[in-house]
Amino acid sequence: MARILIVEDEPNMRKLLSMHLRTDGHVPIEGATVKKTLEFIENDDFDVILTDYQLPDGKGLDIVLAVAQSGAATAVVVLTAYGTVELAVEAMRSGAYDFLTKPFSAENLKAVIQRAVRHVGLLRENDLLRSAVGKLEGQSEIRGQNPQIVRLREMIAKVGPTEATVLITGETGTGKELVARAIHRGSARASRPLVSVNCAAFPETLLESELFGHEKGAFTGADRVRHGLFETAHQGTLFLDEAGEMSPAAQAKLLRVLAEGKITRLGSSTARDVDVRVVVATHRDLVREVEEKRFRQDLYYRLAIVPIKAPPLRERLDDIPELADYLLGQMASELKVSRRRLHPDALAQLQSYHFPGNIRELRNLLERACILTSGSEIRWIDLPEPVANGHADTEWFPRIPDGAIPEEFELRTAIGNWERSILEQILLKTRGSKAEAARRLGLSKSDLSYKLSKYGLG
Protein backbone atom coordinates (compact mmCIF):
# COMPACT_ATOMS: atom_id res chain seq x y z
CA MET A 1 0.00 0.00 0.00
CA ALA A 2 1.36 3.40 -1.02
CA ARG A 3 0.20 6.99 -0.78
CA ILE A 4 -0.04 8.35 -4.33
CA LEU A 5 -0.74 11.95 -5.28
CA ILE A 6 -2.56 12.24 -8.62
CA VAL A 7 -2.14 15.64 -10.31
CA GLU A 8 -4.54 15.88 -13.25
CA ASP A 9 -6.80 18.78 -14.25
CA GLU A 10 -9.33 16.57 -16.07
CA PRO A 11 -11.83 15.25 -13.45
CA ASN A 12 -12.77 12.08 -15.34
CA MET A 13 -9.13 11.15 -15.82
CA ARG A 14 -8.45 11.74 -12.09
CA LYS A 15 -11.34 9.42 -11.17
CA LEU A 16 -10.12 6.74 -13.59
CA LEU A 17 -6.56 6.88 -12.22
CA SER A 18 -7.85 6.76 -8.63
CA MET A 19 -10.03 3.76 -9.40
CA HIS A 20 -7.16 1.78 -10.93
CA LEU A 21 -4.84 2.58 -8.03
CA ARG A 22 -7.40 1.67 -5.36
CA THR A 23 -7.87 -1.76 -6.92
CA ASP A 24 -4.16 -2.34 -6.27
CA GLY A 25 -4.57 -1.34 -2.62
CA HIS A 26 -3.01 2.13 -2.87
CA VAL A 27 -4.32 5.32 -1.27
CA PRO A 28 -4.81 8.02 -3.95
CA ILE A 29 -4.99 11.74 -3.12
CA GLU A 30 -6.18 14.05 -5.88
CA GLY A 31 -4.94 17.45 -7.02
CA ALA A 32 -5.40 19.55 -10.16
CA THR A 33 -2.78 22.33 -10.21
CA VAL A 34 0.93 22.93 -9.69
CA LYS A 35 0.18 25.37 -6.87
CA LYS A 36 -1.97 22.90 -4.95
CA THR A 37 0.59 20.13 -5.49
CA LEU A 38 3.42 22.26 -4.08
CA GLU A 39 1.28 22.86 -0.97
CA PHE A 40 0.72 19.11 -0.68
CA ILE A 41 4.47 18.43 -0.96
CA GLU A 42 5.29 21.03 1.68
CA ASN A 43 2.80 19.72 4.23
CA ASP A 44 2.60 15.99 3.57
CA ASP A 45 4.61 13.14 2.10
CA PHE A 46 3.86 10.69 -0.69
CA ASP A 47 5.43 7.55 -2.06
CA VAL A 48 4.61 8.41 -5.68
CA ILE A 49 3.36 11.49 -7.49
CA LEU A 50 1.59 10.82 -10.80
CA THR A 51 1.37 14.15 -12.61
CA ASP A 52 0.12 15.29 -15.99
CA TYR A 53 2.69 17.10 -18.12
CA GLN A 54 0.37 20.01 -19.04
CA LEU A 55 -1.43 21.70 -16.12
CA PRO A 56 -3.50 24.93 -15.98
CA ASP A 57 -0.86 26.90 -14.04
CA GLY A 58 2.36 25.25 -15.17
CA LYS A 59 3.98 21.98 -16.16
CA GLY A 60 4.54 18.64 -14.48
CA LEU A 61 8.27 19.31 -14.65
CA ASP A 62 7.78 22.09 -12.09
CA ILE A 63 6.61 19.39 -9.69
CA VAL A 64 9.53 17.10 -10.63
CA LEU A 65 12.02 19.89 -9.84
CA ALA A 66 10.27 20.78 -6.57
CA VAL A 67 10.44 17.16 -5.35
CA ALA A 68 14.10 16.90 -6.35
CA GLN A 69 14.97 20.09 -4.44
CA SER A 70 13.07 18.96 -1.34
CA GLY A 71 15.18 15.81 -1.06
CA ALA A 72 12.08 13.72 -0.34
CA ALA A 73 12.17 10.00 -1.14
CA THR A 74 9.30 10.30 -3.63
CA ALA A 75 9.10 8.95 -7.18
CA VAL A 76 7.47 11.21 -9.79
CA VAL A 77 5.83 9.64 -12.84
CA VAL A 78 4.98 12.07 -15.65
CA LEU A 79 1.77 11.43 -17.61
CA THR A 80 1.17 13.11 -20.95
CA ALA A 81 -0.69 12.86 -24.22
CA TYR A 82 2.26 14.49 -25.96
CA GLY A 83 4.54 11.49 -26.01
CA THR A 84 7.76 12.55 -27.65
CA VAL A 85 11.36 11.53 -27.07
CA GLU A 86 12.23 15.14 -26.24
CA LEU A 87 9.65 15.35 -23.45
CA ALA A 88 10.71 11.98 -22.05
CA VAL A 89 14.37 13.00 -21.98
CA GLU A 90 13.51 16.37 -20.40
CA ALA A 91 11.42 14.68 -17.68
CA MET A 92 14.12 12.13 -16.85
CA ARG A 93 16.86 14.76 -16.73
CA SER A 94 14.76 16.81 -14.35
CA GLY A 95 14.49 13.85 -11.96
CA ALA A 96 11.33 11.99 -12.99
CA TYR A 97 11.32 8.28 -12.22
CA ASP A 98 9.29 7.22 -15.26
CA PHE A 99 7.18 8.46 -18.15
CA LEU A 100 3.70 7.23 -19.13
CA THR A 101 1.96 8.17 -22.38
CA LYS A 102 -1.79 8.50 -22.89
CA PRO A 103 -3.66 6.41 -23.79
CA PHE A 104 -2.46 3.71 -21.40
CA SER A 105 -3.76 0.37 -20.21
CA ALA A 106 -4.63 -0.34 -16.57
CA GLU A 107 -1.94 -3.06 -16.50
CA ASN A 108 0.72 -0.66 -17.76
CA LEU A 109 -0.24 1.98 -15.20
CA LYS A 110 -0.19 -0.51 -12.32
CA ALA A 111 3.18 -1.92 -13.41
CA VAL A 112 4.79 1.54 -13.54
CA ILE A 113 3.39 2.45 -10.10
CA GLN A 114 4.55 -0.85 -8.56
CA ARG A 115 8.09 -0.25 -9.85
CA ALA A 116 8.02 3.30 -8.51
CA VAL A 117 6.87 2.12 -5.06
CA ARG A 118 9.66 -0.48 -4.92
CA HIS A 119 12.16 2.18 -6.01
CA VAL A 120 11.08 4.49 -3.18
CA GLY A 121 11.34 1.64 -0.68
CA LEU A 122 14.92 0.99 -1.76
CA LEU A 123 15.79 4.69 -1.53
CA ARG A 124 14.53 4.86 2.05
CA GLU A 125 16.27 1.63 2.99
CA ASN A 126 19.56 2.84 1.52
CA ASP A 127 19.29 6.14 3.41
CA LEU A 128 18.77 4.21 6.60
CA LEU A 129 21.70 1.87 5.95
CA ARG A 130 24.04 4.77 5.22
CA SER A 131 23.07 6.48 8.46
CA ALA A 132 23.50 3.24 10.40
CA VAL A 133 26.97 2.29 9.14
CA GLY A 134 28.76 4.37 11.75
CA LYS A 135 26.54 3.14 14.56
CA LEU A 136 27.02 -0.58 14.18
CA GLU A 137 29.31 -2.18 16.74
CA GLY A 138 30.55 -5.72 17.10
CA GLN A 139 30.42 -6.96 13.53
CA SER A 140 31.56 -10.42 14.61
CA GLU A 141 29.26 -13.40 14.67
CA ILE A 142 28.13 -14.87 17.98
CA ARG A 143 31.29 -16.81 18.77
CA GLY A 144 32.28 -19.24 21.46
CA GLN A 145 31.72 -22.83 22.55
CA ASN A 146 30.62 -22.23 26.12
CA PRO A 147 27.37 -24.16 26.86
CA GLN A 148 25.50 -20.87 27.42
CA ILE A 149 26.49 -19.62 23.95
CA VAL A 150 25.61 -22.97 22.35
CA ARG A 151 22.13 -22.74 23.92
CA LEU A 152 21.84 -19.12 22.78
CA ARG A 153 22.54 -20.09 19.17
CA GLU A 154 20.03 -22.93 19.40
CA MET A 155 17.38 -20.52 20.69
CA ILE A 156 18.09 -18.05 17.88
CA ALA A 157 17.75 -20.83 15.31
CA LYS A 158 14.33 -21.76 16.73
CA VAL A 159 12.87 -18.27 17.11
CA GLY A 160 14.36 -16.67 13.98
CA PRO A 161 11.97 -18.19 11.40
CA THR A 162 8.89 -17.27 13.48
CA GLU A 163 7.10 -13.90 13.69
CA ALA A 164 7.30 -13.86 17.50
CA THR A 165 8.29 -10.73 19.39
CA VAL A 166 11.58 -11.37 21.20
CA LEU A 167 12.89 -9.86 24.45
CA ILE A 168 16.70 -9.97 24.74
CA THR A 169 18.06 -9.34 28.22
CA GLY A 170 21.64 -9.02 29.37
CA GLU A 171 24.21 -6.64 30.77
CA THR A 172 25.62 -3.76 28.75
CA GLY A 173 28.19 -4.94 26.23
CA THR A 174 27.08 -8.59 26.04
CA GLY A 175 26.16 -8.38 22.34
CA LYS A 176 22.39 -8.01 22.44
CA GLU A 177 22.40 -6.26 19.05
CA LEU A 178 24.35 -9.20 17.58
CA VAL A 179 21.57 -11.47 18.81
CA ALA A 180 18.92 -9.23 17.24
CA ARG A 181 20.76 -9.22 13.89
CA ALA A 182 21.09 -13.00 14.00
CA ILE A 183 17.33 -13.35 14.65
CA HIS A 184 16.59 -11.05 11.71
CA ARG A 185 18.96 -12.94 9.38
CA GLY A 186 17.21 -16.19 10.29
CA SER A 187 13.75 -14.84 9.50
CA ALA A 188 11.66 -14.59 6.35
CA ARG A 189 12.24 -10.82 6.60
CA ALA A 190 16.00 -11.11 6.10
CA SER A 191 15.84 -9.40 2.70
CA ARG A 192 14.03 -6.42 4.23
CA PRO A 193 15.61 -3.79 6.50
CA LEU A 194 16.69 -4.32 10.10
CA VAL A 195 16.24 -0.93 11.77
CA SER A 196 17.91 -0.29 15.14
CA VAL A 197 17.34 2.48 17.67
CA ASN A 198 18.71 3.01 21.18
CA CYS A 199 15.72 4.17 23.23
CA ALA A 200 18.02 5.59 25.93
CA ALA A 201 19.62 8.00 23.46
CA PHE A 202 16.51 10.17 22.98
CA PRO A 203 14.41 12.31 25.32
CA GLU A 204 10.73 11.41 25.54
CA THR A 205 9.30 13.56 22.71
CA LEU A 206 12.17 12.92 20.33
CA LEU A 207 11.96 9.15 20.87
CA GLU A 208 8.27 9.16 19.92
CA SER A 209 9.11 11.21 16.82
CA GLU A 210 11.95 8.83 15.97
CA LEU A 211 9.73 5.76 16.27
CA PHE A 212 6.40 7.00 14.94
CA GLY A 213 7.33 10.02 12.82
CA HIS A 214 5.75 13.46 12.92
CA GLU A 215 3.75 15.86 10.83
CA LYS A 216 4.96 19.32 9.89
CA GLY A 217 4.43 21.68 12.83
CA ALA A 218 3.93 18.89 15.38
CA PHE A 219 6.49 20.59 17.63
CA THR A 220 9.11 23.33 17.49
CA GLY A 221 11.60 22.49 14.76
CA ALA A 222 9.31 20.07 12.93
CA ASP A 223 9.58 21.92 9.62
CA ARG A 224 8.59 18.97 7.44
CA VAL A 225 6.87 15.60 7.54
CA ARG A 226 9.14 12.83 8.81
CA HIS A 227 8.77 9.06 8.48
CA GLY A 228 9.24 7.18 11.74
CA LEU A 229 11.35 4.06 12.10
CA PHE A 230 8.26 1.85 12.17
CA GLU A 231 7.39 3.03 8.67
CA THR A 232 11.00 2.68 7.56
CA ALA A 233 11.08 -0.91 8.87
CA HIS A 234 7.85 -1.85 7.06
CA GLN A 235 7.96 -5.60 6.24
CA GLY A 236 11.29 -5.82 8.10
CA THR A 237 12.43 -5.90 11.74
CA LEU A 238 12.67 -3.07 14.26
CA PHE A 239 15.22 -3.54 17.05
CA LEU A 240 14.50 -1.40 20.12
CA ASP A 241 17.64 -1.39 22.27
CA GLU A 242 17.27 -0.37 25.93
CA ALA A 243 13.48 -0.51 25.65
CA GLY A 244 13.29 -0.35 29.45
CA GLU A 245 14.07 3.38 29.20
CA MET A 246 10.89 4.22 27.26
CA SER A 247 8.50 6.77 28.74
CA PRO A 248 4.94 5.73 29.72
CA ALA A 249 3.57 7.54 26.63
CA ALA A 250 5.96 5.73 24.29
CA GLN A 251 5.15 2.43 26.00
CA ALA A 252 1.44 2.99 25.37
CA LYS A 253 2.03 3.73 21.68
CA LEU A 254 4.29 0.69 21.31
CA LEU A 255 1.60 -1.49 22.88
CA ARG A 256 -0.90 -0.25 20.31
CA VAL A 257 1.46 -1.05 17.44
CA LEU A 258 2.00 -4.57 18.72
CA ALA A 259 -1.73 -5.10 19.29
CA GLU A 260 -3.14 -3.45 16.16
CA GLY A 261 -0.30 -3.09 13.66
CA LYS A 262 -0.96 0.67 13.36
CA ILE A 263 1.07 3.80 14.13
CA THR A 264 0.04 7.44 14.43
CA ARG A 265 2.57 10.17 13.76
CA LEU A 266 2.97 13.01 16.24
CA GLY A 267 0.65 15.82 15.27
CA SER A 268 -1.66 13.52 13.29
CA SER A 269 -4.90 11.70 14.02
CA THR A 270 -4.55 9.30 11.08
CA ALA A 271 -3.55 5.72 11.87
CA ARG A 272 -1.23 4.04 9.35
CA ASP A 273 -0.80 0.30 8.88
CA VAL A 274 2.69 -1.14 9.42
CA ASP A 275 3.97 -4.69 9.11
CA VAL A 276 6.97 -4.88 11.42
CA ARG A 277 8.50 -7.58 13.59
CA VAL A 278 9.69 -6.10 16.89
CA VAL A 279 12.76 -7.30 18.78
CA VAL A 280 13.61 -5.48 22.02
CA ALA A 281 16.57 -5.54 24.37
CA THR A 282 17.24 -4.17 27.83
CA HIS A 283 19.81 -4.44 30.59
CA ARG A 284 17.10 -3.82 33.18
CA ASP A 285 15.11 -6.43 35.11
CA LEU A 286 11.72 -5.75 33.53
CA VAL A 287 9.90 -7.96 36.02
CA ARG A 288 11.11 -5.68 38.80
CA GLU A 289 10.32 -2.62 36.68
CA VAL A 290 6.76 -3.89 36.32
CA GLU A 291 6.47 -4.54 40.07
CA GLU A 292 7.66 -1.00 40.79
CA LYS A 293 5.18 0.48 38.25
CA ARG A 294 7.86 1.85 35.93
CA PHE A 295 7.01 -0.47 33.05
CA ARG A 296 3.58 -1.53 31.79
CA GLN A 297 2.69 -5.09 32.68
CA ASP A 298 0.57 -5.59 29.54
CA LEU A 299 3.46 -4.38 27.36
CA TYR A 300 5.90 -6.68 29.16
CA TYR A 301 3.73 -9.72 28.35
CA ARG A 302 3.55 -8.59 24.70
CA LEU A 303 7.33 -8.25 24.49
CA ALA A 304 8.39 -11.32 26.45
CA ILE A 305 6.74 -13.89 24.19
CA VAL A 306 10.21 -15.37 23.70
CA PRO A 307 12.79 -14.20 26.28
CA ILE A 308 16.47 -14.70 25.45
CA LYS A 309 19.40 -13.92 27.73
CA ALA A 310 22.85 -12.88 26.47
CA PRO A 311 25.30 -14.21 29.10
CA PRO A 312 27.98 -11.94 30.61
CA LEU A 313 31.57 -12.56 29.57
CA ARG A 314 32.68 -13.43 33.12
CA GLU A 315 30.46 -16.55 32.90
CA ARG A 316 32.19 -17.77 29.74
CA LEU A 317 35.84 -16.85 30.18
CA ASP A 318 36.72 -20.06 28.34
CA ASP A 319 35.55 -18.31 25.13
CA ILE A 320 38.11 -15.50 25.46
CA PRO A 321 40.82 -17.20 23.33
CA GLU A 322 38.42 -17.58 20.38
CA LEU A 323 36.89 -14.13 20.85
CA ALA A 324 40.27 -12.44 21.20
CA ASP A 325 41.70 -14.18 18.14
CA TYR A 326 38.75 -13.06 16.03
CA LEU A 327 38.82 -9.49 17.34
CA LEU A 328 42.58 -9.17 16.81
CA GLY A 329 42.14 -10.23 13.19
CA GLN A 330 39.45 -7.58 12.77
CA MET A 331 41.59 -4.89 14.36
CA ALA A 332 44.59 -5.61 12.16
CA SER A 333 42.43 -4.73 9.17
CA GLU A 334 40.67 -1.78 10.77
CA LEU A 335 43.76 -0.17 12.33
CA LYS A 336 46.06 -0.95 9.36
CA VAL A 337 48.60 -2.69 11.62
CA SER A 338 50.24 -6.10 11.52
CA ARG A 339 48.25 -8.81 13.25
CA ARG A 340 49.03 -9.10 16.96
CA ARG A 341 49.07 -12.30 18.99
CA LEU A 342 48.26 -12.75 22.66
CA HIS A 343 51.17 -14.00 24.75
CA PRO A 344 50.08 -16.73 27.19
CA ASP A 345 50.65 -14.39 30.15
CA ALA A 346 48.28 -11.78 28.63
CA LEU A 347 45.68 -14.43 27.85
CA ALA A 348 45.91 -15.77 31.40
CA GLN A 349 45.44 -12.25 32.75
CA LEU A 350 42.40 -11.64 30.55
CA GLN A 351 40.87 -14.91 31.71
CA SER A 352 41.31 -13.86 35.34
CA TYR A 353 39.59 -10.50 34.84
CA HIS A 354 35.89 -10.03 35.65
CA PHE A 355 35.01 -7.80 32.61
CA PRO A 356 32.29 -5.50 33.94
CA GLY A 357 31.94 -4.12 30.37
CA ASN A 358 31.72 -7.61 28.83
CA ILE A 359 32.66 -8.17 25.16
CA ARG A 360 32.63 -4.44 24.41
CA GLU A 361 35.27 -3.96 27.11
CA LEU A 362 37.33 -6.88 25.77
CA ARG A 363 37.30 -5.27 22.35
CA ASN A 364 38.37 -1.91 23.76
CA LEU A 365 41.20 -3.49 25.79
CA LEU A 366 42.55 -5.35 22.78
CA GLU A 367 42.23 -2.33 20.49
CA ARG A 368 44.24 -0.18 22.89
CA ALA A 369 46.87 -2.90 23.24
CA CYS A 370 47.14 -3.25 19.43
CA ILE A 371 47.78 0.47 19.10
CA LEU A 372 50.30 0.80 21.92
CA THR A 373 52.32 -2.41 21.65
CA SER A 374 55.47 -2.22 19.54
CA GLY A 375 55.94 -5.93 18.92
CA SER A 376 53.91 -8.69 17.34
CA GLU A 377 52.86 -10.09 20.71
CA ILE A 378 50.63 -8.50 23.31
CA ARG A 379 52.09 -9.11 26.78
CA TRP A 380 50.32 -8.62 30.11
CA ILE A 381 52.14 -5.31 30.53
CA ASP A 382 50.52 -4.06 27.30
CA LEU A 383 47.07 -4.43 28.79
CA PRO A 384 45.41 -1.35 30.32
CA GLU A 385 45.98 -0.78 34.01
CA PRO A 386 42.54 -2.01 35.23
CA VAL A 387 43.52 -5.46 33.95
CA ALA A 388 47.26 -5.45 34.49
CA ASN A 389 47.31 -3.86 37.95
CA GLY A 390 45.12 -6.08 39.99
CA HIS A 391 41.49 -5.06 39.35
CA ALA A 392 40.74 -8.66 38.59
CA ASP A 393 39.47 -11.66 40.47
CA THR A 394 43.00 -12.97 41.10
CA GLU A 395 46.51 -11.62 41.63
CA TRP A 396 47.89 -9.54 38.78
CA PHE A 397 50.92 -11.76 38.28
CA PRO A 398 50.30 -13.94 35.22
CA ARG A 399 49.51 -17.58 35.84
CA ILE A 400 52.02 -20.00 34.33
CA PRO A 401 50.12 -22.41 32.04
CA ASP A 402 49.89 -26.00 33.29
CA GLY A 403 52.82 -28.12 32.13
CA ALA A 404 54.88 -25.10 31.08
CA ILE A 405 57.52 -25.45 33.85
CA PRO A 406 60.33 -27.90 33.00
CA GLU A 407 61.65 -30.41 35.53
CA GLU A 408 64.81 -28.32 36.11
CA PHE A 409 64.07 -24.63 36.44
CA GLU A 410 66.39 -21.71 37.35
CA LEU A 411 63.87 -19.58 39.25
CA ARG A 412 66.30 -16.73 39.96
CA THR A 413 67.25 -16.43 36.28
CA ALA A 414 63.61 -16.61 35.16
CA ILE A 415 62.57 -13.90 37.63
CA GLY A 416 65.47 -11.73 36.52
CA ASN A 417 64.54 -12.09 32.83
CA TRP A 418 60.93 -11.38 33.64
CA GLU A 419 61.83 -8.29 35.69
CA ARG A 420 64.12 -6.96 32.96
CA SER A 421 61.34 -7.49 30.36
CA ILE A 422 58.89 -5.55 32.52
CA LEU A 423 61.33 -2.65 32.94
CA GLU A 424 62.00 -2.49 29.20
CA GLN A 425 58.31 -2.44 28.33
CA ILE A 426 57.44 0.14 30.98
CA LEU A 427 60.18 2.46 29.70
CA LEU A 428 58.85 2.07 26.18
CA LYS A 429 55.34 2.93 27.32
CA THR A 430 56.50 5.98 29.31
CA ARG A 431 58.82 7.08 26.46
CA GLY A 432 61.83 6.85 28.79
CA SER A 433 60.30 8.83 31.66
CA LYS A 434 61.80 7.23 34.77
CA ALA A 435 59.53 9.20 37.12
CA GLU A 436 56.41 7.89 35.35
CA ALA A 437 57.86 4.36 35.17
CA ALA A 438 58.55 4.42 38.93
CA ARG A 439 54.97 5.59 39.58
CA ARG A 440 53.46 2.81 37.47
CA LEU A 441 55.63 0.16 39.11
CA GLY A 442 55.05 1.43 42.65
CA LEU A 443 58.81 1.96 43.20
CA SER A 444 60.82 4.86 44.53
CA LYS A 445 63.06 6.63 42.04
CA SER A 446 66.18 5.25 43.76
CA ASP A 447 64.84 1.65 43.65
CA LEU A 448 64.06 2.03 39.96
CA SER A 449 67.51 3.49 39.24
CA TYR A 450 69.14 0.54 41.02
CA LYS A 451 67.16 -1.99 38.99
CA LEU A 452 67.87 -0.20 35.70
CA SER A 453 71.58 -0.16 36.51
CA LYS A 454 71.45 -3.85 37.53
CA TYR A 455 70.10 -4.84 34.12
CA GLY A 456 72.17 -2.38 32.11
CA LEU A 457 69.14 -0.25 31.23
CA GLY A 458 70.15 2.89 33.11
Side-chain angles (χ1 to χ4, degrees), residues 195-268:
V195 181
S196 301
V197 61
N198 187 328
C199 298
F202 296 91
E204 178 178 341
T205 303
L206 288 183
L207 177 61
E208 290 186 52
S209 171
E210 190 77 8
L211 292 177
F212 309 111
H214 63 252
E215 300 292 342
K216 182 179 179 181
F219 52 85
T220 302
D223 56 355
R224 60 173 297 174
V225 173
R226 186 182 189 281
H227 288 278
L229 294 182
F230 268 100
E231 290 180 86
T232 304
H234 183 62
Q235 296 183 336
T237 303
L238 179 61
F239 173 54
L240 302 177
D241 199 6
E242 297 304 344
E245 312 303 315
M246 297 178 71
S247 68
Q251 290 179 35
K253 285 194 172 185
L254 176 59
L255 180 62
R256 182 188 179 192
V257 178
L258 295 176
E260 302 176 8
K262 297 179 182 293
I263 63 101
T264 303
R265 295 176 185 165
L266 290 179
S268 173

Side-chain angles (χ1 to χ4, degrees), residues 88 112 126 149 173 182 235 281 292 308 329 353 358-359 361 364 387 446 453:
V112 169
N126 288 341
I149 290 299
Q235 296 183 336
E292 297 179 0
I308 293 179
Y353 183 57
N358 294 294
I359 297 174
E361 184 179 11
N364 291 344
V387 183
S446 58
S453 177

Side-chain angles (χ1 to χ4, degrees), residues 180-191:
R181 290 208 295 271
I183 290 170
H184 175 70
R185 284 197 301 269
S187 74
R189 299 171 181 261
S191 62

Side-chain angles (χ1 to χ4, degrees), residues 112-189:
V112 169
I113 295 300
Q114 286 173 359
R115 289 199 303 270
V117 170
R118 285 197 296 269
H119 173 72
V120 168
L122 290 173
L123 285 178
R124 291 173 180 166
E125 183 177 339
N126 288 341
D127 286 343
L128 177 73
L129 291 174
R130 279 195 295 270
S131 68
V133 164
K135 300 178 183 178
L136 294 177
E137 293 181 13
Q139 298 296 324
S140 62
E141 299 293 333
I142 299 172
R143 292 176 173 263
Q145 302 305 318
N146 181 276
Q148 292 190 70
I149 290 299
V150 173
R151 286 195 297 272
L152 175 63
R153 285 197 290 261
E154 290 173 350
M155 181 68 78
I156 290 170
K158 290 179 180 178
V159 75
T162 74
E163 288 292 303
T165 303
V166 180
L167 172 62
I168 307 168
T169 59
E171 297 174 10
T172 299
T174 50
K176 296 187 289 295
E177 186 166 351
L178 283 178
V179 175
R181 290 208 295 271
I183 290 170
H184 175 70
R185 284 197 301 269
S187 74
R189 299 171 181 261

